[in-house]
Amino acid sequence: MKTALIIGASRGIGHEFVRQYREDGWRVFATARSDDGLAALREMNADALKLDVTRVESLSGLSWQLDGVELDVAIYNAGVNSARTTGLAPITKAEFDHVFHTNVLGAMQVAPLVLPFVEAAGGTFGFLSSRMGSIALMESNGSWLYRASKAAVNSVVRAVALEAQRATCVAMHPGWVRTDMGGEDADIDVQTSVRGMRRVLARAPGERATHHGGFYNYDGNALTW
Ligand SMILES: NC(=O)c1ccc[n+]([C@@H]2O[C@H](COP(=O)([O-])OP(=O)(O)OC[C@H]3O[C@@H](n4cnc5c(N)ncnc54)[C@H](OP(=O)(O)O)[C@@H]3O)[C@@H](O)[C@H]2O)c1
C-alpha cells in the first residue's frame, strides 16, 4: 500500500493532502499538535501523530512511530506567516524566532529524522516553500521576514537533496491558496493546489534527473530560486 506522511495536517493545505491521499486509498501518517486536530485526522482514518515542530521532545518520538514504514511521499507542510509588513519594517527577535523556528529549524530537525523512511521507498520528500522565498523573483519587500524564512527553506531543500541517495527532494510553491494563511481573496482553492502538487510529487522520482533538488510551482512549472 502506498504510504504518505504529512507534517502539519490540522487544517489548510496539509489537511487537504491527507483527504486526497486517503481518498485514493493510501495509508497516511499525519501530524497535528492539538487534540481537535488529531481527532479530525483519526476521523479520516489517518494514523494521527501528535507533533509540534518547535518542541524537541515532540520531535524525538517521530522515528520510532514510523519504525518499519516506507514512505512514498513525505511532506513538510507546517508553516507560519509573519505579520504583513511593508518595506524594511522592524522585526523583533520574538517574531523572528517564531517564524524561523517553525519554517526553518523545524524543517532542519524533521528532515534528518524522516529522510531514511523516504529513502527506503525511493519516494519523494516535498517541502512547502513559497514563491515569496525566491530571490530571483522578488519584486516586493513586503513581509520580508516570511520571505527570508522561505528562502532559507529553499536552501534546506537543496541541502537535503545532496544527502539523499534514492529519495527525490523538491521545494514547492502551492500557489496563492484560500486557507487561513492565504485568506479568502487568494487565487485558487486548496483542492486545486494540492491536486497539482500531488502530480509534482508523483512525477518526481521518474524524472529525478531534472526534479531532484528543484523548486516547482503547483502547476508543475519549475521556479527559479
Ligand atoms: N496559503 C498560501 O497561499 C501559501 C502560499 C505559499 C506557501 N504556503 C505554505 O504552505 C504551507 C501550508 O500553508 P496553509 O495555507 O495551509 O497554512 P495554514 O492554513 O495557516 O495551516 C498551517 C498548518 O501548519 C501547522 N503548524 C503551524 N505551526 C506548527 C508547529 N509549530 N508544529 C506543527 N504544525 C504547525 C498548523 O497547525 P495548527 O492548526 O496546530 O496551527 C496548520 O496545520 C505553509 O508552509 C505555508 O507557508 C502557503
Side-chain angles (χ1 to χ4, degrees):
M1 184 189 281
K2 292 272 195 187
T3 305
L5 166 68
I6 318 296
I7 305 280
S10 58
R11 54 197 166 92
I13 291 168
H15 198 259
E16 179 63 14
F17 268 118
V18 180
R19 196 192 66 74
Q20 290 193 16
Y21 280 122
R22 285 294 304 137
E23 193 173 67
D24 282 0
W26 286 45
R27 182 176 190 191
V28 181
F29 291 87
T31 79
R33 51 183 176 166
S34 70
D35 290 339
D36 285 353
L38 290 165
L41 293 173
R42 285 192 200 103
E43 261 172 43
M44 298 161 90
N45 289 318
D47 292 64
L49 309 175
K50 192 172 175 101
L51 182 69
D52 182 332
V53 300
T54 64
R55 297 177 75 94
V56 128
E57 68 278 14
S58 159
L59 283 165
S60 60
L62 196 56
S63 294
W64 65 258
Q65 287 172 307
L66 294 172
D67 193 28
V69 170
E70 296 188 358
L71 294 173
D72 299 283
V73 164
I75 300 168
Y76 188 84
N77 173 76
V80 289
N81 210 344
S82 61
R84 195 164 295 171
T85 57
T86 52
L88 307 188
I91 304 294
T92 67
K93 181 175 183 304
E95 287 167 330
F96 179 89
D97 286 351
H98 175 59
V99 173
F100 265 72
H101 199 164
T102 309
N103 296 0
V104 187
L105 180 56
M108 295 175 87
Q109 290 182 324
V110 163
L113 297 175
V114 168
L115 182 61
F117 301 97
V118 190
E119 292 274 69
T124 314
F125 201 164
F127 294 75
L128 267 289
S129 176
S130 171
R131 193 180 185 282
M132 288 175 75
S134 168
I135 294 171
L137 300 174
M138 195 191 293
E139 286 162 355
S140 151
N141 56 10
S143 301
W144 66 324
L145 173 57
Y146 180 74
R147 288 178 188 279
S149 77
K150 291 300 188 180
V153 167
N154 287 348
S155 170
V156 168
V157 175
R158 288 301 285 259
V160 177
L162 287 168
E163 194 71 17
Q165 301 296 310
R166 295 184 65 225
T168 307
C169 302
V170 290
M172 295 186 293
H173 171 57
W176 184 23
V177 191
R178 290 189 288 275
T179 61
D180 292 342
M181 186 184 292
E184 57 193 26
D185 294 335
D187 287 337
I188 57 171
D189 59 38
V190 72
Q191 294 83 0
T192 305
S193 169
V194 168
R195 227 177 287 123
M197 287 189 285
R198 286 180 60 217
R199 275 195 287 270
V200 171
L201 292 162
R203 196 172 76 194
E207 298 180 18
R208 195 172 188 274
T210 49
H211 279 60
H212 187 48
F215 185 17
Y216 285 88
N217 196 30
Y218 77 97
D219 62 7
N221 288 320
L223 290 170
T224 50
W225 297 109

